[in-house]
PDB file of all heavy atoms in Angstrom:
ATOM      1  N   SER A 278    -127.926 -41.055 -91.516  1.00 93.00           N
ATOM      2  CA  SER A 278    -127.007 -41.941 -92.191  1.00 93.00           C
ATOM      3  C   SER A 278    -127.201 -43.393 -91.829  1.00 93.00           C
ATOM      4  O   SER A 278    -126.745 -44.338 -92.542  1.00 93.00           O
ATOM      5  CB  SER A 278    -125.580 -41.620 -91.787  1.00 93.00           C
ATOM      6  OG  SER A 278    -125.375 -41.984 -90.420  1.00 93.00           O
ATOM      7  N   GLY A 279    -127.975 -43.636 -90.763  1.00 91.00           N
ATOM      8  CA  GLY A 279    -128.279 -44.974 -90.311  1.00 91.00           C
ATOM      9  C   GLY A 279    -127.176 -45.650 -89.487  1.00 91.00           C
ATOM     10  O   GLY A 279    -127.283 -46.846 -89.154  1.00 91.00           O
ATOM     11  N   HIS A 280    -126.100 -44.887 -89.161  1.00 90.00           N
ATOM     12  CA  HIS A 280    -125.132 -45.421 -88.390  1.00 90.00           C
ATOM     13  C   HIS A 280    -125.005 -44.923 -86.908  1.00 90.00           C
ATOM     14  O   HIS A 280    -124.499 -45.676 -86.025  1.00 90.00           O
ATOM     15  CB  HIS A 280    -123.686 -44.999 -89.104  1.00 90.00           C
ATOM     16  CG  HIS A 280    -123.678 -45.597 -90.477  1.00 90.00           C
ATOM     17  ND1 HIS A 280    -123.572 -46.949 -90.719  1.00 90.00           N
ATOM     18  CD2 HIS A 280    -123.700 -45.005 -91.672  1.00 90.00           C
ATOM     19  CE1 HIS A 280    -123.481 -47.172 -92.007  1.00 90.00           C
ATOM     20  NE2 HIS A 280    -123.632 -45.927 -92.594  1.00 90.00           N
ATOM     21  N   ARG A 281    -125.422 -43.710 -86.625  1.00 96.00           N
ATOM     22  CA  ARG A 281    -125.286 -43.166 -85.239  1.00 96.00           C
ATOM     23  C   ARG A 281    -126.603 -43.243 -84.557  1.00 96.00           C
ATOM     24  O   ARG A 281    -127.618 -42.709 -85.047  1.00 96.00           O
ATOM     25  CB  ARG A 281    -124.832 -41.716 -85.310  1.00 96.00           C
ATOM     26  CG  ARG A 281    -124.279 -41.211 -83.941  1.00 96.00           C
ATOM     27  CD  ARG A 281    -124.001 -39.750 -83.926  1.00 96.00           C
ATOM     28  NE  ARG A 281    -125.412 -39.195 -83.839  1.00 96.00           N
ATOM     29  CZ  ARG A 281    -125.776 -37.965 -84.183  1.00 96.00           C
ATOM     30  NH1 ARG A 281    -124.893 -37.146 -84.603  1.00 96.00           N
ATOM     31  NH2 ARG A 281    -127.034 -37.566 -84.003  1.00 96.00           N
ATOM     32  N   LEU A 282    -126.676 -43.864 -83.433  1.00 97.00           N
ATOM     33  CA  LEU A 282    -127.850 -44.017 -82.630  1.00 97.00           C
ATOM     34  C   LEU A 282    -128.364 -42.612 -82.124  1.00 97.00           C
ATOM     35  O   LEU A 282    -127.523 -41.856 -81.834  1.00 97.00           O
ATOM     36  CB  LEU A 282    -127.658 -44.930 -81.353  1.00 97.00           C
ATOM     37  CG  LEU A 282    -127.605 -46.366 -81.625  1.00 97.00           C
ATOM     38  CD1 LEU A 282    -127.116 -47.044 -80.267  1.00 97.00           C
ATOM     39  CD2 LEU A 282    -128.877 -46.945 -82.133  1.00 97.00           C
ATOM     40  N   ASN A 283    -129.621 -42.393 -82.088  1.00 96.00           N
ATOM     41  CA  ASN A 283    -130.251 -41.225 -81.462  1.00 96.00           C
ATOM     42  C   ASN A 283    -130.351 -41.531 -79.912  1.00 96.00           C
ATOM     43  O   ASN A 283    -131.434 -41.677 -79.395  1.00 96.00           O
ATOM     44  CB  ASN A 283    -131.581 -40.859 -82.092  1.00 96.00           C
ATOM     45  CG  ASN A 283    -131.417 -40.211 -83.367  1.00 96.00           C
ATOM     46  OD1 ASN A 283    -130.553 -39.457 -83.636  1.00 96.00           O
ATOM     47  ND2 ASN A 283    -132.373 -40.426 -84.348  1.00 96.00           N
ATOM     48  N   GLY A 284    -129.242 -41.617 -79.288  1.00 96.00           N
ATOM     49  CA  GLY A 284    -129.163 -41.974 -77.887  1.00 96.00           C
ATOM     50  C   GLY A 284    -127.937 -42.776 -77.598  1.00 96.00           C
ATOM     51  O   GLY A 284    -127.237 -43.206 -78.576  1.00 96.00           O
ATOM     52  N   LYS A 285    -127.537 -42.819 -76.339  1.00 97.00           N
ATOM     53  CA  LYS A 285    -126.323 -43.588 -76.027  1.00 97.00           C
ATOM     54  C   LYS A 285    -126.582 -45.006 -75.855  1.00 97.00           C
ATOM     55  O   LYS A 285    -127.691 -45.514 -75.441  1.00 97.00           O
ATOM     56  CB  LYS A 285    -125.760 -43.017 -74.779  1.00 97.00           C
ATOM     57  CG  LYS A 285    -125.302 -41.595 -74.781  1.00 97.00           C
ATOM     58  CD  LYS A 285    -124.870 -41.060 -73.366  1.00 97.00           C
ATOM     59  CE  LYS A 285    -124.477 -39.617 -73.479  1.00 97.00           C
ATOM     60  NZ  LYS A 285    -124.131 -39.071 -72.193  1.00 97.00           N
ATOM     61  N   GLU A 286    -125.628 -45.889 -76.338  1.00 97.00           N
ATOM     62  CA  GLU A 286    -125.844 -47.332 -76.240  1.00 97.00           C
ATOM     63  C   GLU A 286    -126.210 -47.737 -74.872  1.00 97.00           C
ATOM     64  O   GLU A 286    -127.112 -48.625 -74.689  1.00 97.00           O
ATOM     65  CB  GLU A 286    -124.521 -48.051 -76.680  1.00 97.00           C
ATOM     66  CG  GLU A 286    -124.309 -48.006 -78.181  1.00 97.00           C
ATOM     67  CD  GLU A 286    -123.035 -48.828 -78.522  1.00 97.00           C
ATOM     68  OE1 GLU A 286    -122.396 -49.391 -77.731  1.00 97.00           O
ATOM     69  OE2 GLU A 286    -122.863 -48.882 -79.776  1.00 97.00           O
ATOM     70  N   ALA A 287    -125.617 -47.158 -73.838  1.00 97.00           N
ATOM     71  CA  ALA A 287    -125.930 -47.551 -72.432  1.00 97.00           C
ATOM     72  C   ALA A 287    -127.349 -47.221 -71.977  1.00 97.00           C
ATOM     73  O   ALA A 287    -127.841 -47.743 -71.047  1.00 97.00           O
ATOM     74  CB  ALA A 287    -124.922 -46.853 -71.528  1.00 97.00           C
ATOM     75  N   GLU A 288    -127.999 -46.332 -72.761  1.00 97.00           N
ATOM     76  CA  GLU A 288    -129.403 -45.946 -72.324  1.00 97.00           C
ATOM     77  C   GLU A 288    -130.512 -46.851 -72.947  1.00 97.00           C
ATOM     78  O   GLU A 288    -131.685 -46.671 -72.556  1.00 97.00           O
ATOM     79  CB  GLU A 288    -129.622 -44.559 -72.775  1.00 97.00           C
ATOM     80  CG  GLU A 288    -128.796 -43.499 -72.074  1.00 97.00           C
ATOM     81  CD  GLU A 288    -128.985 -42.042 -72.518  1.00 97.00           C
ATOM     82  OE1 GLU A 288    -129.391 -41.876 -73.675  1.00 97.00           O
ATOM     83  OE2 GLU A 288    -128.822 -41.165 -71.781  1.00 97.00           O
ATOM     84  N   PHE A 289    -130.144 -47.790 -73.811  1.00 98.00           N
ATOM     85  CA  PHE A 289    -131.118 -48.725 -74.338  1.00 98.00           C
ATOM     86  C   PHE A 289    -131.136 -50.022 -73.485  1.00 98.00           C
ATOM     87  O   PHE A 289    -130.058 -50.424 -73.120  1.00 98.00           O
ATOM     88  CB  PHE A 289    -130.772 -49.037 -75.755  1.00 98.00           C
ATOM     89  CG  PHE A 289    -130.974 -47.872 -76.735  1.00 98.00           C
ATOM     90  CD1 PHE A 289    -129.981 -47.009 -76.973  1.00 98.00           C
ATOM     91  CD2 PHE A 289    -132.235 -47.754 -77.346  1.00 98.00           C
ATOM     92  CE1 PHE A 289    -130.199 -46.001 -77.847  1.00 98.00           C
ATOM     93  CE2 PHE A 289    -132.427 -46.651 -78.222  1.00 98.00           C
ATOM     94  CZ  PHE A 289    -131.451 -45.782 -78.405  1.00 98.00           C
ATOM     95  N   PHE A 290    -132.288 -50.567 -73.232  1.00 98.00           N
ATOM     96  CA  PHE A 290    -132.364 -51.767 -72.410  1.00 98.00           C
ATOM     97  C   PHE A 290    -133.591 -52.508 -72.754  1.00 98.00           C
ATOM     98  O   PHE A 290    -134.620 -52.010 -73.259  1.00 98.00           O
ATOM     99  CB  PHE A 290    -132.373 -51.420 -70.956  1.00 98.00           C
ATOM    100  CG  PHE A 290    -133.466 -50.557 -70.443  1.00 98.00           C
ATOM    101  CD1 PHE A 290    -134.634 -51.148 -69.817  1.00 98.00           C
ATOM    102  CD2 PHE A 290    -133.424 -49.174 -70.625  1.00 98.00           C
ATOM    103  CE1 PHE A 290    -135.626 -50.312 -69.317  1.00 98.00           C
ATOM    104  CE2 PHE A 290    -134.476 -48.361 -70.181  1.00 98.00           C
ATOM    105  CZ  PHE A 290    -135.562 -48.906 -69.546  1.00 98.00           C
ATOM    106  N   VAL A 291    -133.575 -53.846 -72.506  1.00 97.00           N
ATOM    107  CA  VAL A 291    -134.708 -54.702 -72.783  1.00 97.00           C
ATOM    108  C   VAL A 291    -135.563 -54.795 -71.527  1.00 97.00           C
ATOM    109  O   VAL A 291    -135.045 -54.906 -70.430  1.00 97.00           O
ATOM    110  CB  VAL A 291    -134.275 -56.166 -73.170  1.00 97.00           C
ATOM    111  CG1 VAL A 291    -135.370 -57.095 -73.249  1.00 97.00           C
ATOM    112  CG2 VAL A 291    -133.467 -56.186 -74.459  1.00 97.00           C
ATOM    113  N   ALA A 292    -136.857 -54.607 -71.744  1.00 94.00           N
ATOM    114  CA  ALA A 292    -137.780 -54.573 -70.600  1.00 94.00           C
ATOM    115  C   ALA A 292    -137.834 -55.922 -69.844  1.00 94.00           C
ATOM    116  O   ALA A 292    -137.773 -57.010 -70.526  1.00 94.00           O
ATOM    117  CB  ALA A 292    -139.215 -54.275 -70.985  1.00 94.00           C
ATOM    118  N   ARG A 293    -137.854 -55.874 -68.504  1.00 86.00           N
ATOM    119  CA  ARG A 293    -138.162 -57.123 -67.813  1.00 86.00           C
ATOM    120  C   ARG A 293    -139.684 -57.328 -67.863  1.00 86.00           C
ATOM    121  O   ARG A 293    -140.434 -56.366 -67.958  1.00 86.00           O
ATOM    122  CB  ARG A 293    -137.754 -56.937 -66.346  1.00 86.00           C
ATOM    123  CG  ARG A 293    -136.199 -56.693 -66.225  1.00 86.00           C
ATOM    124  CD  ARG A 293    -135.804 -56.517 -64.763  1.00 86.00           C
ATOM    125  NE  ARG A 293    -136.683 -55.617 -64.157  1.00 86.00           N
ATOM    126  CZ  ARG A 293    -136.328 -54.776 -63.184  1.00 86.00           C
ATOM    127  NH1 ARG A 293    -135.097 -54.821 -62.694  1.00 86.00           N
ATOM    128  NH2 ARG A 293    -137.146 -53.910 -62.629  1.00 86.00           N
ATOM    129  N   SER A 294    -140.168 -58.573 -67.831  1.00 74.00           N
ATOM    130  CA  SER A 294    -141.509 -58.819 -67.989  1.00 74.00           C
ATOM    131  C   SER A 294    -142.354 -58.051 -66.927  1.00 74.00           C
ATOM    132  O   SER A 294    -143.384 -57.634 -67.314  1.00 74.00           O
ATOM    133  CB  SER A 294    -141.824 -60.397 -67.989  1.00 74.00           C
ATOM    134  OG  SER A 294    -141.378 -60.851 -66.706  1.00 74.00           O
ATOM    135  N   GLU A 295    -141.927 -57.957 -65.655  1.00 65.00           N
ATOM    136  CA  GLU A 295    -142.755 -57.272 -64.670  1.00 65.00           C
ATOM    137  C   GLU A 295    -142.706 -55.779 -64.914  1.00 65.00           C
ATOM    138  O   GLU A 295    -143.669 -55.136 -64.470  1.00 65.00           O
ATOM    139  CB  GLU A 295    -142.242 -57.559 -63.230  1.00 65.00           C
ATOM    140  CG  GLU A 295    -140.827 -57.140 -62.967  1.00 65.00           C
ATOM    141  CD  GLU A 295    -139.774 -58.150 -63.145  1.00 65.00           C
ATOM    142  OE1 GLU A 295    -139.981 -59.126 -63.900  1.00 65.00           O
ATOM    143  OE2 GLU A 295    -138.557 -57.884 -62.772  1.00 65.00           O
ATOM    144  N   ASP A 296    -141.734 -55.163 -65.622  1.00 53.00           N
ATOM    145  CA  ASP A 296    -141.750 -53.756 -65.905  1.00 53.00           C
ATOM    146  C   ASP A 296    -142.966 -53.387 -66.755  1.00 53.00           C
ATOM    147  O   ASP A 296    -143.614 -52.489 -66.556  1.00 53.00           O
ATOM    148  CB  ASP A 296    -140.458 -53.358 -66.622  1.00 53.00           C
ATOM    149  CG  ASP A 296    -139.249 -53.261 -65.674  1.00 53.00           C
ATOM    150  OD1 ASP A 296    -139.445 -53.283 -64.511  1.00 53.00           O
ATOM    151  OD2 ASP A 296    -138.152 -53.180 -66.223  1.00 53.00           O
ATOM    152  N   ALA A 297    -143.115 -54.145 -67.901  1.00 48.00           N
ATOM    153  CA  ALA A 297    -144.163 -53.835 -68.828  1.00 48.00           C
ATOM    154  C   ALA A 297    -145.510 -54.060 -68.210  1.00 48.00           C
ATOM    155  O   ALA A 297    -146.472 -53.320 -68.493  1.00 48.00           O
ATOM    156  CB  ALA A 297    -144.024 -54.720 -70.055  1.00 48.00           C
ATOM    157  N   ALA A 298    -145.662 -55.063 -67.428  1.00 50.00           N
ATOM    158  CA  ALA A 298    -147.011 -55.305 -66.856  1.00 50.00           C
ATOM    159  C   ALA A 298    -147.377 -54.454 -65.663  1.00 50.00           C
ATOM    160  O   ALA A 298    -148.546 -54.025 -65.594  1.00 50.00           O
ATOM    161  CB  ALA A 298    -147.084 -56.790 -66.361  1.00 50.00           C
ATOM    162  N   GLU A 299    -146.414 -54.121 -64.835  1.00 50.00           N
ATOM    163  CA  GLU A 299    -146.723 -53.363 -63.687  1.00 50.00           C
ATOM    164  C   GLU A 299    -146.477 -51.830 -63.729  1.00 50.00           C
ATOM    165  O   GLU A 299    -147.188 -51.047 -63.064  1.00 50.00           O
ATOM    166  CB  GLU A 299    -145.857 -53.847 -62.428  1.00 50.00           C
ATOM    167  CG  GLU A 299    -146.163 -55.282 -62.119  1.00 50.00           C
ATOM    168  CD  GLU A 299    -145.177 -55.811 -61.014  1.00 50.00           C
ATOM    169  OE1 GLU A 299    -144.476 -54.963 -60.404  1.00 50.00           O
ATOM    170  OE2 GLU A 299    -145.204 -56.947 -60.760  1.00 50.00           O
ATOM    171  N   ASN A 300    -145.637 -51.426 -64.645  1.00 52.00           N
ATOM    172  CA  ASN A 300    -145.278 -50.021 -64.717  1.00 52.00           C
ATOM    173  C   ASN A 300    -145.343 -49.361 -66.161  1.00 52.00           C
ATOM    174  O   ASN A 300    -144.303 -48.863 -66.593  1.00 52.00           O
ATOM    175  CB  ASN A 300    -143.846 -49.770 -64.080  1.00 52.00           C
ATOM    176  CG  ASN A 300    -143.782 -50.250 -62.713  1.00 52.00           C
ATOM    177  OD1 ASN A 300    -144.682 -49.879 -61.896  1.00 52.00           O
ATOM    178  ND2 ASN A 300    -142.770 -50.974 -62.364  1.00 52.00           N
ATOM    179  N   PRO A 301    -146.403 -49.546 -66.826  1.00 51.00           N
ATOM    180  CA  PRO A 301    -146.365 -48.986 -68.181  1.00 51.00           C
ATOM    181  C   PRO A 301    -146.137 -47.475 -68.139  1.00 51.00           C
ATOM    182  O   PRO A 301    -146.770 -46.766 -67.376  1.00 51.00           O
ATOM    183  CB  PRO A 301    -147.771 -49.377 -68.764  1.00 51.00           C
ATOM    184  CG  PRO A 301    -148.642 -49.553 -67.577  1.00 51.00           C
ATOM    185  CD  PRO A 301    -147.653 -50.014 -66.468  1.00 51.00           C
TER     186      PRO A 301
END
Side-chain angles (χ1 to χ4, degrees):
S278 74
H280 300 291
R281 197 190 77 200
L282 286 173
N283 281 325
K285 297 177 183 174
E286 287 184 357
E288 294 178 330
F289 290 90
F290 61 100
V291 175
R293 298 179 309 211
S294 59
E295 65 269 13
D296 286 345
E299 295 175 13
N300 300 312

